[in-house]
Amino acid sequence: NQSRYEDALANYENALEIRIHKYGRKHRHITPCYLGIGNVYWNQARYEDALANYEKAFQIRIHKYGYNHPDVAQCYLGIGNVYVEQTRYEDALENYENALEICIDKYGHNHPYVEACYNNIAVVYLNQSRYEDALADYENALQIYIEICGDKQPDVAQCSSNVAIVYTDQSKFQDTLANFEKALAIKKKIYGEIQADVSTTLHQIANVYCDQAKYKDSLENYHKVVGYIQSYHGDTHPEVASTLHTIANGYYKKGKYKGAVTNYVNVLKIYIDKFGHNHPKTH
């Protein structure tokens, strides 16, 4: 969690050495070490190293438990995650579907592990532009989470946002807005008005309006986002500059050049303050 990956790796490797000495190389107690090492490599984008360790854990677990076991499903998910990062989507899909089958068999349909599998599968479909398939699996995940936890939880908001993203890629803007608005209402109920996740969803809503050339609505929401970011990051944060740049573009598209120039100048001032004159953002 502190991103101290080399320290984490050293500790996992020490634990692995101890457990191999105590149990041998084929014992189930060493598989968490391989998975931990794999997770560190995954976070470092060292995907081949991650894959090698996930597969070591996988081989030990199928030897111990057979293929239809939750611990084997965990390995399938790790392997699938690597394949997604490598854009090997069919391989990822195969592993995620194997994990899903195991989890449904062991836990039934209404379980968090099943919901996670549906989400992962939907991500693959989205990357493949298989929008209807992605939508179906995001909806499956959403229904499971609502069944388990109710409809006012952060993960429900995230599921709604995921559905909205699929609709965005299909240019179904009304469906996109409906789902982002649903996510926004949940987040406001949980966090209040001024919070980073609320700002993110407002920004997404503004983007949808911009895509529809509804610049008045988009600018209204972008201005709200700027106000929120300023409240918790201050006036000169790079996120403020980024949103002001988007606002400037909106004014430019509306032909309101004075408003555009004012915001571009404010962006430049922030970037000069943060990065100096000789930085790509200030050029």
Side-chain angles (χ1 to χ4, degrees):
N1 288 336
Q2 295 178 317
S3 300
R4 294 171 57 183
Y5 298 125
E6 292 305 322
D7 292 334
L9 193 59
N11 281 282
Y12 279 131
E13 287 175 342
N14 288 337
L16 177 63
E17 185 178 349
I18 292 168
R19 291 189 180 192
I20 287 174
H21 180 75
K22 183 173 179 63
Y23 301 113
R25 293 186 176 276
K26 301 296 182 183
H27 196 279
R28 61 186 176 85
H29 286 337
I30 71 169
T31 59
C33 297
Y34 282 130
L35 291 173
I37 291 168
N39 291 341
V40 173
Y41 283 138
W42 188 85
N43 280 294
Q44 292 179 308
R46 295 171 61 179
Y47 299 123
E48 288 300 326
D49 293 324
L51 189 61
N53 281 275
Y54 289 146
E55 287 179 340
K56 285 177 183 177
F58 175 73
Q59 291 301 323
I60 293 169
R61 287 182 172 181
I62 61 171
H63 179 75
K64 174 70 176 176
Y65 303 119
Y67 284 92
N68 193 33
H69 191 277
D71 286 354
V72 175
Q74 184 184 21
C75 296
Y76 278 130
L77 289 172
I79 292 168
N81 291 343
V82 172
Y83 285 142
V84 168
E85 296 299 328
Q86 294 178 319
T87 68
R88 295 170 59 180
Y89 297 127
E90 289 302 322
D91 293 324
L93 194 58
E94 180 181 351
N95 280 274
Y96 287 151
E97 287 175 341
N98 287 339
L100 176 64
E101 185 178 348
I102 293 169
C103 289
I104 289 174
D105 182 66
K106 293 299 180 183
Y107 304 117
H109 277 85
N110 290 333
H111 192 277
Y113 292 166
V114 175
E115 180 251 344
C117 291
Y118 278 128
N119 263 313
N120 289 345
I121 291 169
V123 169
V124 176
Y125 285 140
L126 187 59
N127 279 297
Q128 293 179 311
S129 301
R130 295 170 61 179
Y131 300 122
E132 293 302 324
D133 292 325
L135 193 59
D137 281 291
Y138 278 139
E139 292 283 5
N140 286 336
L142 178 60
Q143 292 307 312
I144 291 169
Y145 206 87
I146 290 173
E147 185 71 24
I148 296 170
C149 300
D151 60 357
K152 303 298 182 185
Q153 297 294 320
D155 280 5
V156 174
Q158 185 58 55
C159 287
S160 295
S161 293
N162 291 340
V163 171
I165 290 167
V166 178
Y167 283 132
T168 300
D169 288 340
Q170 294 178 301
S171 298
K172 294 182 175 180
F173 297 122
Q174 293 308 310
D175 293 321
T176 300
L177 281 173
N179 280 277
F180 278 142
E181 293 284 2
K182 187 187 299 182
L184 180 65
I186 295 170
K187 289 179 179 182
K188 283 184 176 180
K189 189 175 182 65
I190 296 169
Y191 304 121
E193 289 277 344
I194 301 174
Q195 199 267 350
D197 281 351
V198 173
S199 297
T200 297
T201 305
L202 273 175
H203 201 287
Q204 290 169 316
I205 289 169
N207 290 343
V208 176
Y209 284 129
C210 190
D211 288 341
Q212 297 177 91
K214 294 183 176 180
Y215 299 122
K216 181 181 177 181
D217 293 322
S218 68
L219 286 169
E220 180 182 336
N221 281 280
Y222 286 136
H223 279 296
K224 287 180 183 178
V225 171
V226 169
Y228 291 166
I229 297 172
Q230 287 172 328
S231 69
Y232 51 78
H233 283 317
D235 294 339
T236 60
H237 193 275
E239 285 187 28
V240 173
S242 176
T243 308
L244 286 175
H245 193 277
T246 304
I247 289 171
N249 290 341
Y251 280 126
Y252 183 84
K253 289 175 181 177
K254 288 183 69 177
K256 295 189 174 182
Y257 301 121
K258 184 178 179 180
V261 169
T262 299
N263 281 279
Y264 284 136
V265 169
N266 289 335
V267 171
L268 182 61
K269 287 178 180 178
I270 294 171
Y271 283 151
I272 289 173
D273 180 66
K274 289 296 179 184
F275 305 115
H277 288 274
N278 297 318
H279 190 277
K281 287 186 177 294
T282 62
H283 290 172

